[in-house]
Amino acid sequence: MALIKTKSADVEHFKAQCLAEFAHVNHYWDNQRGAVVAKILPGEFYVSKEYIPIATTLGSCVAACIWDEKNKIGGMNHFMLPLTDKEAHEVDWGQRGMHSDATRYGNFAMEYLINLILKNGGKRSHLKAKAFGGARVLENMSDIGAKNINFVLGYLDDENIPLISSDLGSIHPRKVIFEPQTGRALMKTIDSLHNDTISKRESDYQSQLHALANDGEIELF
């Protein structure tokens, strides 16, 4: 019981130390890593100067990991669509601190992530990147993953941010854990045929995209 209390106290301790913009993000104790981990969902991102690994699970979405190793700060996003021509306030349907529906789009997800890293001590000239995701999990659905991949590669090239490593495409979902202070990333693929949760989430996500397209909210590719 004492051990459980200690872990709970550690979670609250790290939540208290995280940047104010991310106090709402789910933080949990990872027994294997012996550390508090921040778990981000689609449309979210996270930046930290502390040793708080960031975890997410990806299907057709893409996560960009950006960090400044010299100043020990970095973060990760998780975007669902490549970009929109709308302004941020036009897609902010319920802000959650720095998070909003705008950050489900790659152009806003990248801009918000990089700007917050720089705001908290990172230097643009020191930034490096890793990228993951963009799988075509469901063969009968539109290949949003490929568009997300093309976007993130083009964005990093345009911004002159070196892509150190990546694992993109294929048909398998991925789980990613990123350490923002060091740039270390751990990734494992997930057998989508035996993971109903991921397949269902991807199917629901694709259905939402088509519903939005029918309403004129987005353009599917």
Side-chain angles (χ1 to χ4, degrees), residues 39-60:
K39 182 178 181 180
I40 60 171
L41 301 173
E44 292 187 338
F45 72 105
Y46 193 95
V47 172
S48 180
K49 298 184 288 185
E50 309 294 333
Y51 179 72
I52 302 179
I54 311 164
T56 200
T57 302
L58 303 160
S60 60

Side-chain angles (χ1 to χ4, degrees), residues 22 24 29 44 61 66 91 93 137 155 164 182 216 218 220:
F22 306 108
H24 70 284
W29 179 264
E44 292 187 338
C61 298
I66 310 287
V91 288
W93 303 309
V137 177
Y155 188 99
I164 303 304
T182 65
I218 64 170
L220 291 179

Side-chain angles (χ1 to χ4, degrees), residues 63-195:
C65 307
I66 310 287
W67 81 103
D68 175 345
E69 190 170 0
K70 292 184 179 180
N71 290 296
K72 307 296 182 183
I73 183 171
M76 178 167 72
N77 59 28
H78 180 151
F79 62 87
M80 305 163 68
L81 293 160
L83 74 168
T84 177
D85 292 331
K86 292 188 175 184
E87 299 295 329
H89 70 271
E90 295 182 87
V91 288
D92 278 352
W93 303 309
Q95 289 192 342
R96 306 178 301 279
M98 280 292 293
H99 301 266
S100 70
D101 282 336
T103 51
R104 67 181 180 169
Y105 295 99
N107 53 330
F108 288 118
M110 297 299 289
E111 180 183 348
Y112 285 21
L113 173 62
I114 292 170
N115 285 347
L116 202 58
I117 291 173
L118 300 181
K119 178 182 175 181
N120 287 277
K123 301 298 181 185
R124 181 173 287 275
S125 60
H126 297 165
L127 297 183
K128 298 178 182 178
K130 295 180 179 180
F132 303 92
R136 188 166 191 173
V137 177
L138 302 176
E139 291 186 4
N140 59 334
M141 296 294 184
S142 55
D143 195 0
I144 298 295
K147 297 297 182 181
N148 286 333
I149 292 169
N150 290 337
F151 168 79
V152 74
L153 295 179
Y155 188 99
L156 293 171
D157 185 59
D158 289 344
E159 295 296 320
N160 295 312
I161 299 175
L163 181 63
I164 303 304
S165 64
S166 64
D167 195 283
L168 298 161
S170 85
I171 61 172
H172 298 293
R174 299 164 170 88
K175 180 176 181 180
V176 178
I177 297 179
F178 175 64
E179 298 176 358
Q181 284 189 320
T182 65
R184 182 171 179 250
L186 303 175
M187 189 216 74
K188 68 176 181 180
T189 57
I190 302 170
D191 184 354
S192 61
L193 297 178
H194 295 88
N195 194 310

